[in-house]
Amino acid sequence: MRKRFNITILGQNISVMHDSGDDYVTEVVRYVSDKVQEIQTRTAGASALTVAILAALNVADDYYKLKNANDMICSQLEDKSDNLIRLLNDLR
């Protein structure tokens, strides 16, 4: 069941709906807030829009790094599974 969460990022109060629990939403908001804080520290005086765009790019970069790592692991597991299946078939 979807639940409404009121969050604040970059001084903006936003209401979002999500079907995960409070802990998950809190963790995601903390992650984004940390990214925003990191960007604000490095780009003093940047507008909120610039900070938001840079934070979004950083989050997307993190996502693609993890996705690529996951894809590589899945590919390696598929290769190992195929090899095991071949070995088992050869034993027959």
Side-chain angles (χ1 to χ4, degrees):
M1 185 169 118
R2 295 179 76 79
K3 181 179 174 184
R4 181 175 305 277
F5 295 91
N6 296 313
I7 63 172
T8 302
I9 296 179
L10 278 172
Q12 298 292 311
N13 296 317
I14 305 165
S15 180
V16 296
M17 300 287 287
H18 205 281
D19 54 5
S20 293
D22 293 0
D23 291 343
Y24 177 81
V25 173
T26 299
E27 187 176 335
V28 169
V29 170
R30 184 177 299 121
Y31 176 76
V32 172
S33 294
D34 288 349
K35 287 291 183 183
V36 166
Q37 182 62 43
E38 179 184 322
I39 299 298
Q40 284 179 320
T41 300
R42 289 189 290 161
T43 58
S47 71
L49 178 60
T50 298
V51 170
I53 291 169
L54 291 172
L57 289 169
N58 275 263
V59 169
D61 181 52
D62 290 347
Y63 166 78
Y64 276 98
K65 285 177 183 173
L66 290 171
K67 182 181 179 306
N68 288 338
N70 184 62
D71 290 348
M72 186 184 326
I73 289 168
C74 286
S75 178
Q76 290 171 348
L77 286 173
E78 285 177 19
D79 289 345
K80 288 183 183 292
S81 295
D82 289 344
N83 286 339
L84 285 172
I85 290 169
R86 272 194 294 280
L87 286 170
L88 290 172
N89 284 336
D90 288 347
L91 291 175
R92 291 182 188 186

